[in-house]
Amino acid sequence: MSQPLILIIEDEPPIRKLLRASLSDADYRINEASSGAEGIKLASVQPPDLVILDLGLPDIDGQEVIRRLREWLTSPIIILSARDQEQEKIDALDGGADDYVTKPFSVGELQARMRTALRHHQRASHEAATFALGELKVDYESRIVMLSGSPIHLTPLEYKLLITLIKHQGKVLTHRFLLKEVWGPHHTQENHYLRVFVANLRRKVEPDAARPRFIITEQSVGYRFAGS
Ligand code: CA
């Protein structure tokens, strides 16, 4: 595979410089834009394999950049958000971003998120009939879930929640997104449903429910199914 092309949309020159230096060392090809409009234009000229997007841009709002890119681009979008942008981060994930790092961020952390996002994006194009991660196996056709070789019983909603998490493996899913996908559009505010179901699901599918390895909590944002 040729080196993935990364589009960085960020208005702060020191952060662009840091990203350029560390990502070139890691063998990525890089395009840079210092505004939302420039980023959208550059993406259409040379479609990137992954976008790193700062939410606080001088011209177009980061949410609008996501919306415009998602009209045609399926590549992962990782957002850079400031610590006081909690709600914006959640809106960005709901709007189609895949993951986020909070500023100030570590380059190692960002690169790990990038590798996961790129790997899952590639894998998503080959739909499999079964899923396996560690001791957990799911056969989609028979709807049988096995843990360490033994079948486990899930209620239909628990199964739907598990499959939704697995389908977006590695991606942060907001409370709102999960409620909408599993319970439907009228239940998006009912976070307590989700908490109870996740706790029950963990007791069934996690080898140790006190230290979840599969269903990871993203504090005050949502949940993520662990990457493989
Ligand atoms: Ca900024």
Side-chain angles (χ1 to χ4, degrees):
M1 185 181 116
S2 66
Q3 301 162 332
L5 175 65
I6 312 299
L7 172 60
I8 300 168
I9 308 177
E10 161 67 77
D11 60 320
E12 288 170 67
I15 297 182
R16 282 209 309 278
K17 189 175 166 196
L18 168 74
L19 290 172
R20 183 166 62 234
S22 52
L23 298 183
S24 317
D25 281 352
D27 265 351
Y28 291 111
R29 290 176 298 140
I30 292 163
N31 272 343
E32 290 176 37
S34 58
S35 70
E38 193 189 340
I40 292 166
K41 191 170 156 201
L42 205 48
S44 66
V45 178
Q46 269 189 294
D49 297 300
L50 183 143
V51 179
I52 298 173
L53 172 69
D54 175 30
L55 278 185
L57 292 167
D59 58 340
I60 310 175
D61 182 58
Q63 311 291 349
E64 177 64 13
V65 176
I66 294 170
R67 200 185 63 72
R68 304 255 287 266
L69 289 176
R70 276 288 173 256
E71 285 172 2
W72 62 276
L73 184 76
T74 59
S75 305
I77 300 175
I78 298 181
I79 53 175
L80 304 177
S81 72
R83 224 165 264 292
D84 58 358
Q85 289 179 314
E86 191 76 7
Q87 188 53 48
E88 283 158 81
K89 186 165 83 185
I90 292 171
D91 292 344
L93 292 165
D94 276 333
D98 293 75
D99 204 348
Y100 64 89
V101 292
T102 305
K103 291 177 174 178
F105 55 90
S106 97
V107 168
E109 168 80 4
L110 174 64
Q111 291 196 11
R113 302 291 175 106
M114 291 171 64
R115 282 193 298 273
T116 303
L118 286 166
R119 200 167 53 230
H120 291 303
H121 182 64
Q122 269 177 343
R123 197 182 304 158
S125 34
H126 324 265
E127 282 290 335
T130 59
F131 169 86
L133 179 63
E135 302 88 336
L136 183 67
K137 289 191 175 51
V138 180
D139 184 319
Y140 296 126
E141 196 147 325
S142 61
R143 298 168 77 103
I144 291 175
V145 181
M146 311 267 281
L147 185 66
S148 309
S150 311
I152 48 180
H153 176 73
L154 298 181
T155 66
L157 277 176
E158 286 169 349
Y159 181 79
K160 200 169 169 189
L161 176 59
L162 178 66
I163 295 307
T164 303
L165 286 160
I166 288 175
K167 199 165 79 187
H168 301 278
Q169 188 186 13
K171 178 171 171 167
V172 181
L173 304 178
T174 64
H175 298 127
R176 189 184 169 80
F177 176 87
L178 284 167
L179 284 162
K180 184 162 67 83
E181 288 291 303
V182 179
W183 281 269
H186 305 300
H187 298 278
T188 55
Q189 299 304 318
E190 292 163 71
N191 285 5
H192 58 283
Y193 282 9
L194 191 56
R195 238 184 346 260
V196 170
F197 271 77
V198 167
N200 289 340
L201 189 55
R202 277 177 171 155
R203 270 195 289 277
K204 294 181 180 181
V205 305
E206 296 280 0
D208 178 359
R211 278 190 296 267
R213 280 171 34 203
F214 301 129
I215 305 170
I216 311 300
T217 299
E218 293 287 332
Q219 205 57 51
S220 65
V221 173
Y223 298 93
R224 170 209 304 267
F225 200 87
S228 44

